[in-house]
């Protein structure tokens, strides 16, 4: 009886293997685009007032050799980041001025999340 069960198990495994191999060869894996979770940014209608605020604060501009683009990471040293005042809306980002453009930066990674100019 036990030999019969083992034989049936071996037969099932042998028959199932090609089916499993066929199933695996027809599987297509599609990766969704990576979505970076972002916090709230400055509302469009608040941006002119925010730009004016930055000019009034006389924030010194930092220069980098590359173009200022979303996703770029700023250097660890030499850049000063400033809190965005609450009147422009709640945000976890900080701002600075790079190459004459005001940018919002994720403070831990120093990654530019938005160019406001």
């Amino acid at each position: 009886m036990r030999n019969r069960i083992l034989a049936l198990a071996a037969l099932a495994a042998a028959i199932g293997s090609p089916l499993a191999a066929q199933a695996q060869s027809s599987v297509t894996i599609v990766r969704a685009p990576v979505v970076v979770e972002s916090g709230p940014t400055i509302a469009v209608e608040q941006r002119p007032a925010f730009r004016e605020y930055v000019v009034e604060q006389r924030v010194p501009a930092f220069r980098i050799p590359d173009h200022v683009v979303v996703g770029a990471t700023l250097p660890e040293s030499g850049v000063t980041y400033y809190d965005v005042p609450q009147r422009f809306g709640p945000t976890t980002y900080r701002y600075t001025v790079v190459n004459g453009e005001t940018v919002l930066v994720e403070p831990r990674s120093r990654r530019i999340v938005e160019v406001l100019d």
Side-chain angles (χ1 to χ4, degrees):
M1 179 77 161
R2 189 163 47 158
N3 287 342
R4 190 179 251 183
I5 293 173
L6 290 174
L8 286 174
L11 181 61
I15 292 172
S17 294
L19 293 175
Q22 285 179 345
Q24 289 177 355
S25 65
S26 65
V27 173
T28 302
I29 298 174
V30 178
R31 293 192 175 156
V34 175
V35 176
V36 177
E37 208 172 299
S38 65
T41 62
I42 297 170
V44 174
E45 60 273 3
Q46 289 282 347
R47 290 179 186 182
F50 181 70
R51 282 188 210 102
E52 186 177 313
Y53 167 81
V54 172
V55 170
E56 288 172 0
Q57 296 302 305
R58 296 182 183 191
V59 173
F62 177 76
R63 301 232 26 105
I64 60 172
D66 298 325
H67 293 286
V68 178
V69 294
V70 172
T73 301
L74 297 177
E76 287 185 48
S77 62
V79 182
T80 304
Y81 303 100
Y82 305 91
D83 291 327
V84 175
Q86 283 292 320
R87 70 178 187 237
F88 298 110
T91 183
T92 57
Y93 300 128
R94 300 182 92 192
Y95 77 93
T96 193
V97 178
V98 180
N99 295 355
E101 299 186 70
T102 304
V103 296
L104 291 180
V105 178
E106 200 288 315
R108 285 171 282 160
S109 67
R110 302 174 327 278
R111 186 177 57 86
I112 297 173
V113 295
E114 191 165 359
V115 179
L116 296 171
D117 287 330

